[in-house]
Amino acid sequence: MTAAVWAVAAAAGWLYLAAAAGRSWPAGRTVSWLAGLGCAVAGLTGPLAAAHTDLHAHMAAHLLLGMVAPLLLALARPVTLLLRALPVGSARRVSRVLRTAPVRVLTDPLVATAVNAAGLWLLYGTGLLGTMLRSAPVHLLVSVHVLLTGWLATAAVLSLEPTPHRRGVGTRAAALAAGMAAHDVLAKTLYAHPPAGVTGAEAGAQLMYDGGTVVHLAVAGLLWRQWYRSRASVRAAALA
Amino acid sequence: MSAPTDAPAGRRRVLLSGLLLGLGAAGAIDEIVFHQLLHWHHFYDRASGAAGLVSDGLLHAGTWSATVAGLALLADVRRRRGFAPATWWGAVLLGAGAFQVWDGVVHHKVLRLHQVRYGVDLTGYDLLWTGAGVAVLLAGVLLLLRGRRT
């Protein structure tokens, strides 16, 4: 319930800012934002989240929450919208926050990917999963953490927003591959050593592995398409 | 005008694209043919232990990432009209052969993570597996040498 209220607020805020940004703001990004919020709500409150000890349903929810929703939210480019829609003074304050050391470190693709992977290993490698399945507040806290760190990692790898120091495509592709490897090894480990007190562990681990591959490949494709396009503009500038 | 400075960089990119795609394709073929179609390999081997889990995960992520990167580089090379077929195919075969030999020698025999097939005498399978890798690798080297002369 709470999740739905937050999502409606996030959708309303977005529509307000998009209206302020004017006609130049692409509608596709708004669609992406709303779809991302929808996936997050489905992962947080739907029948998937209610099936407590079934790891298969749990993984479906986490795939939506930690991978699909983050990708859609990152593609929507919320920071860009904020900078474009806010009055100059407030926009300057936002970009000053973006330049502070903690934000710069956290949004580095290598750091963001490591934070995301470490969170997943903590959740599934320790007793935290059991605690989460039994307690509603812990469940919510962990779910929000999964959403936010997944978003952070995806946004850092794709680097679609204005950032002071953007890493090169090679570093970002390597960060993505490392995150994918950590995800794959964790999925196979869950298959080999299912956590205590859950059912459907093998199907859940397979879903985590296969679903993770699909989303990771989509992110890699977007990352390299971005590089391919940027090469075109570099060459056009060199020829001009 | 820019041709002399551009050519070596273009050739390097053709090489890199081929190597990445070769590595990626060998990994993907291994996964699709031997895991999904023949079921000689499994999602998880009880025998392989922690090292097998880690190496499988790394290989899966590495080969698929290499495939996507290799395709992007190939698209860029073709756009620049810098595509050199002999060099590219040579690099593809070199990458694929190197993967196969590495898999056959290091994974199967040195680390003994998993085997080509279970419940049969392995000698023939191992010879074919690694031998095929060596043959593909050598074919790649030959093609690369020919590509350099032209």
Side-chain angles (χ1 to χ4, degrees):
Chain A
M1 198 53 221
T2 338
V5 173
W6 276 98
V8 169
W14 183 278
L15 293 174
Y16 176 77
L17 287 173
R23 275 165 176 267
S24 62
W25 185 254
R29 296 181 188 176
T30 298
V31 172
S32 185
W33 180 258
L34 297 178
L37 290 177
C39 286
V41 171
L44 276 166
T45 62
L48 293 175
H52 281 307
T53 54
D54 179 34
L55 200 65
H56 196 191
H58 166 92
M59 276 308 170
H62 265 206
L63 211 56
L64 281 173
L65 199 62
M67 298 199 79
V68 181
L71 175 56
L72 291 166
L73 295 177
L75 285 175
R77 299 166 175 80
V79 176
T80 308
L81 175 62
L82 210 57
L83 291 176
R84 207 181 286 182
L86 287 178
V88 179
S90 319
R92 218 170 265 159
R93 235 165 290 143
V94 170
S95 59
R96 212 173 301 141
V97 172
L98 292 177
R99 277 200 305 269
T100 55
V103 176
R104 270 216 323 256
V105 171
L106 265 182
T107 53
D108 186 284
L110 297 167
V111 176
T113 306
V115 166
N116 188 28
L120 289 179
W121 275 87
L122 202 67
L123 173 57
Y124 296 107
T126 66
L128 185 57
L129 179 68
T131 316
M132 171 190 178
L133 296 174
R134 278 190 303 274
S135 147
V138 178
H139 187 277
L140 184 67
L141 212 64
V142 169
S143 301
V144 170
H145 186 262
V146 164
L147 172 67
L148 291 181
T149 53
W151 186 2
L152 180 70
T154 314
V157 164
L158 286 178
S159 237
L160 297 163
E161 316 265 22
T163 27
H165 303 283
R166 179 174 288 137
R167 292 274 198 173
V169 69
T171 308
R172 289 187 279 140
L176 180 66
M180 187 177 175
H183 193 267
D184 290 348
V185 174
L186 180 59
K188 287 219 173 186
T189 307
L190 279 176
Y191 186 96
H193 312 286
V198 297
T199 54
E202 294 194 350
Q206 289 250 20
L207 179 64
M208 179 182 182
Y209 191 85
D210 296 336
T213 301
V214 170
V215 179
H216 278 126
L217 282 180
V219 175
L222 287 166
L223 172 62
W224 282 103
R225 190 183 69 153
Q226 190 189 342
W227 170 81
Y228 181 79
R229 290 192 169 168
S230 74
R231 293 296 305 165
S233 53
V234 167
R235 279 186 338 130
L239 290 175
Chain B
M1 279 291 279
S2 64
T5 51
D6 221 29
R11 186 180 146 82
R12 263 209 304 280
R13 185 154 292 170
V14 173
L15 269 173
L16 189 59
S17 159
L19 275 177
L20 288 170
L21 266 179
L23 283 171
I29 289 169
D30 179 53
E31 210 175 306
I32 292 165
V33 175
F34 293 95
H35 288 247
Q36 314 287 351
L37 299 179
L38 294 175
H39 293 288
W40 286 5
H41 300 168
H42 310 287
F43 184 71
Y44 170 65
D45 261 312
R46 297 280 155 204
S48 64
L53 290 175
V54 173
S55 109
D56 271 5
L58 285 177
L59 267 186
H60 179 78
T63 50
W64 282 107
S65 302
T67 304
V68 178
L71 284 172
L73 292 175
L74 176 63
D76 184 60
V77 161
R78 295 204 69 122
R79 179 171 62 185
R80 300 184 190 201
R81 302 180 190 289
F83 182 64
T87 306
W88 188 76
W89 281 108
V92 168
L93 294 178
L94 182 64
F99 178 90
Q100 183 81 353
V101 172
W102 172 267
D103 189 42
V105 174
V106 177
H107 287 148
H108 294 175
K109 297 296 122 187
V110 177
L111 298 174
R112 309 196 72 83
L113 294 179
H114 63 111
Q115 299 301 331
V116 178
R117 199 177 179 181
Y118 293 85
V120 293
D121 176 33
L122 278 170
T123 320
Y125 286 101
D126 278 338
L127 278 176
L128 259 179
W129 191 271
T130 309
V134 172
V136 169
L137 201 152
L138 285 178
V141 171
L142 283 177
L143 259 179
L144 277 179
L145 289 176
R146 238 180 66 184
R148 207 155 76 183
R149 254 183 278 131
T150 49

